């Protein structure tokens, strides 16, 4: 990255930290390989038609499987899901079969649905955007959305700040193959 780019990244970080977005686990499957990781970069990005965007780090195993995948599940984590968050944020599918260490059920097209997370969007990939940064955007058309109008409120989401001090399975500035 250029010196200019580095200073802009440094100046964005404190404001981004104050946003403290809720966390999700994105899971997917392609060629019989399951993958999943925690994401803080995700949001609704269309109303009509409805669209949901997720951003995967190019360093992650989930990205390398997701490039070939059609279906994704976005699991919105709450404070009861810390164990799931730790598994999917701090370990990598390059080394660990995460799905041997959690409870899940095969959903549409075999996409893994985490049994312990109630709030979920299952979507079909509509586009992939590489903006030349370290993350790639995937835009999903929702197929199934969990409906919990009486579910817990916004204060119950597990947020980026709740994982302070945790080390990600892959840092976003890693390169693959490693140099
Ligand atoms: C607070 C937090 C937020 C994260 N946000 C993202 C994200 O938005 N996108 C992403 O691809 N990885 C994100 N990660 C990193 C992955 O969850 C992590 O590197 C994971 O171990 C990758 O697993 P994988 O190699 O099996 O895909 C985040 C990690 C943490 C701790």
């Amino acid at each position: 990255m250029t010196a200019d780019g580095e200073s802009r990244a440094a100046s964005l970080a404190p404001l981004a930290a104050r946003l403290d977005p809720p966390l999700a686990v994105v899971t997917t499957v392609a060629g019989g390989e399951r993958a999943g990781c925690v994401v803080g970069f995700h949001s609704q990005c269309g109303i009509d038609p409805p669209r949901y965007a997720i951003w995967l780090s190019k360093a992650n195993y989930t990205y390398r499987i997701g490039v070939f995948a059609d279906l994704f599940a976005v699991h919105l984590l709450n404070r009861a899901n810390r164990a799931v968050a730790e598994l999917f944020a701090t370990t990598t599918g390059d080394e660990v079969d995460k799905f041997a260490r959690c409870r899940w059920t095969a959903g549409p097209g075999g996409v893994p649905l985490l049994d312990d997370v109630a709030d979920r969007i299952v979507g079909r990939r509509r586009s992939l955007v590489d903006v030349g940064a370290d993350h790639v955007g995937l835009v999903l058309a929702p197929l199934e959305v969990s409906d919990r109008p009486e579910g817990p409120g916004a204060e119950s989401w597990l947020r980026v700040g709740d994982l302070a001090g945790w080390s990600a399975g892959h840092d976003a500035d890693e390169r693959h193959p490693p140099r």
Side-chain angles (χ1 to χ4, degrees):
M1 195 193 300
T2 64
D4 190 32
E6 283 169 14
S7 69
R8 270 180 276 141
S11 65
L12 178 59
L15 178 60
R18 281 174 48 223
L19 286 174
D20 200 15
L23 291 165
V25 172
V26 171
T27 58
T28 192
V29 63
E33 297 286 326
R34 288 179 287 272
C37 69
V38 159
V39 302
F41 295 166
H42 62 101
S43 78
Q44 184 172 353
C45 63
I47 298 171
D48 187 13
R51 293 289 183 266
Y52 204 88
I54 56 176
W55 293 84
L56 295 179
S57 164
K58 293 174 183 174
N60 288 354
Y61 178 76
T62 305
Y63 162 72
R64 278 173 270 129
I65 299 299
V67 160
F68 299 102
D70 184 39
L71 295 166
F72 294 79
V74 185
H75 305 80
L76 288 312
L77 302 178
N78 63 48
R79 290 173 191 276
N81 298 134
R82 287 187 74 92
V84 169
E86 183 169 14
L87 175 64
F88 281 89
T90 67
T91 68
T92 172
D94 287 311
E95 298 168 355
V96 163
D97 178 1
K98 300 182 192 185
F99 298 94
R101 300 185 182 191
C102 66
R103 301 191 312 131
W104 62 278
T105 305
V111 66
L113 306 180
L114 303 180
D115 294 348
D116 294 327
V117 185
D119 295 298
R120 181 172 71 213
I121 301 162
V122 179
R124 187 180 301 283
R125 172 170 137 187
R126 282 300 176 91
S127 73
L128 181 153
V129 54
D130 185 341
V131 296
D134 49 12
H135 286 65
V136 163
L138 296 164
V139 177
L140 309 179
L143 300 177
E144 295 179 9
V145 182
S146 60
D147 182 14
R148 292 208 304 155
E150 305 303 323
E155 72 287 350
S156 72
W157 298 124
L158 189 68
R159 294 181 179 275
V160 167
D162 294 322
L163 306 195
W166 291 22
S167 296
H170 281 298
D171 286 330
D173 62 359
E174 290 179 28
R175 295 289 181 274
H176 281 273
R179 287 186 293 212

